[in-house]
Amino acid sequence: MSLTVVGSIAFDSVRTPFGERERMLGGSAVHFALAASFFTEVRVVGPVGDDFGDDEIAVLSERGVITDDIEHVEGGQTFFWQGHYEHDMNIAHTDDTQLNVFADFEPKLSAESREAEMLFLGNIQPDLQRDVRAKSAASYAGLDSMNLWIETTKNSLVAAIGEIDCLLLNDAELRMLTGEPNLARAARSAMELGPSVIVAKRGEYGAALFTEEGFFAIPGLPLEDVRDPTGAGDSFAGGFLGYLDEARSAGRTDDVTLRIAMAYGSVMASFNVEDFGTERVRRLTEGEIADRVLDFKRLTHFDEPSN
Ligand code: AMP
């Protein structure tokens, strides 16, 4: 089992009602890779600039993430995102996006990255996502995107979605992409573009799974300490696809497996939001993950009265 991710590798400056951080390590590929590293072997593909140093690489390699395909662009600056959250932390307000080294990025995949069984196309320009999909031999591919690309490059995004198996989007973005206000209809209409699995992420309210066979939903954990939701979507995707890669290599691909993957996605997202940037996931243990899976099981279980 192995998983390749392409996506932003970033410095993020973030303000939430609970504090502020300047230029912390972030990006869709980074949050995804750290979460997925608890389940499978992960390789990151993407460019960084001169401002990206050994300390940043160490955050990934300490979790066993393979960084050989992170390309250092001489004289360049790493992708930069600045945003803030008001009291409704489900909505990220973007204050600045500097593509920097991503502006001229031409993805190069090593033989190992090409041959990984699973591919995740994290949130970046959809033509780059298509380029990587074309170069990869993965038997299963997931994709995430955002409102920016739906608004500015919708045709490329629709083409990219036609080439993958699993689409993970925020519920509002799924509605925006398909023009369907009803979530179930929006998911059906997204499936007609190609993917057989649609995951609608709903921030603190959890996530919904649509497949050809049916529907499943998982709530968010009612956490009392949420400090920074940046990267929650990518951590969800990392837990979801990381678990799926592990399960697929054991021959499990059915809806029961997808439901368990939903639980792992939710668990990883719930840890991510407890602290700024990558801080919480960096100190996370497998024992904590196992305990929180049980919390989710308890939260979603009920019995009929016995009499
Ligand atoms: P999310 O999981 O949706 O909260 O994604 C958060 C990450 O997305 C942050 O770490 C940002 O660096 C990254 N990001 C924000 N805007 C963009 C963009 N336009 N392209 C790629 N990555 C982005």
Side-chain angles (χ1 to χ4, degrees):
M1 60 188 183
S2 59
L3 199 166
T4 294
V5 51
V6 64
S8 52
I9 305 170
F11 285 114
D12 289 343
S13 290
V14 174
R15 175 166 51 84
T16 82
F18 304 98
E20 252 180 273
R21 295 286 191 282
E22 295 289 325
R23 292 183 64 79
M24 40 179 195
L25 176 63
S28 54
V30 168
H31 287 293
F32 176 92
L34 291 176
S37 70
F38 286 89
F39 306 90
T40 186
E41 184 181 84
V42 186
R43 291 185 161 76
V44 177
V45 175
V48 297
D50 290 344
D51 49 353
F52 201 89
D54 293 344
D55 290 351
E56 284 77 28
I57 291 285
V59 172
L60 293 166
S61 46
E62 274 163 17
R63 282 268 354 119
V65 174
I66 298 164
T67 57
D68 300 351
D69 282 3
I70 293 184
E71 188 186 331
H72 176 199
V73 179
E74 210 73 44
Q77 288 288 300
T78 301
F79 179 96
F80 175 74
W81 179 75
Q82 181 164 4
H84 71 275
Y85 303 84
E86 310 285 353
H87 275 95
D88 180 354
M89 293 218 282
N90 290 313
I91 302 169
H93 302 276
T94 294
D95 301 313
D96 194 7
T97 302
Q98 296 171 18
L99 290 179
N100 296 334
V101 288
F102 262 102
D104 304 308
F105 176 50
E106 285 172 27
K108 292 175 207 71
L109 275 67
S110 61
E112 291 83 1
S113 283
R114 255 197 320 271
E115 277 147 30
E117 283 101 6
M118 187 165 294
L119 174 69
F120 181 60
L121 303 168
N123 173 29
I124 43 164
Q125 216 279 352
D127 289 321
L128 285 178
Q129 293 179 314
R130 294 193 70 195
D131 183 359
V132 174
R133 182 67 192 106
K135 287 171 178 159
S136 155
S139 57
Y140 197 89
L143 179 145
D144 183 22
S145 190
M146 72 185 292
N147 51 3
L148 173 69
W149 310 120
I150 301 173
E151 282 156 10
T152 59
T153 51
K154 187 170 170 183
N155 290 345
S156 298
L157 178 59
V158 166
I161 292 170
E163 293 159 2
I164 51 107
D165 306 281
C166 172
L167 174 67
L168 300 110
L169 278 186
N170 290 342
D171 53 353
E173 291 162 352
L174 197 56
R175 292 185 175 101
M176 189 196 255
L177 173 76
T178 57
E180 283 282 1
N182 174 288
L183 190 61
R185 284 179 189 273
R188 292 293 152 217
S189 145
M191 244 178 234
E192 281 162 19
L193 300 175
S196 56
V197 174
I198 310 287
V199 177
K201 296 173 287 174
R202 307 159 90 185
E204 68 179 306
Y205 305 112
L209 170 77
F210 297 87
T211 68
E212 277 147 12
E213 283 166 43
F215 170 77
F216 178 69
I218 193 156
L221 206 60
L223 295 170
E224 300 206 354
D225 284 312
V226 175
R227 300 189 73 204
D228 172 19
T230 310
D234 302 305
S235 301
F236 181 98
F240 183 86
L241 289 179
Y243 175 81
L244 216 55
D245 187 39
E246 193 183 21
R248 284 173 66 83
S249 73
R252 292 187 289 116
T253 58
D254 57 358
D255 269 27
V256 173
T257 305
L258 287 167
R259 288 177 181 217
I260 304 171
M262 290 285 284
Y264 279 101
S266 306
V267 164
M268 298 313 291
S270 76
F271 281 118
N272 177 279
V273 302
E274 286 181 345
D275 212 336
F276 278 85
T278 57
E279 286 170 29
R280 182 66 182 94
V281 176
R282 281 176 71 181
R283 54 174 199 271
L284 188 60
T285 64
E286 290 188 358
E288 288 175 312
I289 294 175
D291 286 348
R292 198 160 278 186
V293 169
L294 291 180
D295 290 343
F296 267 99
K297 216 169 168 185
R298 279 187 219 107
L299 186 72
T300 51
H301 179 87
F302 67 91
D303 285 316
E304 295 279 349
S306 48
N307 54 3

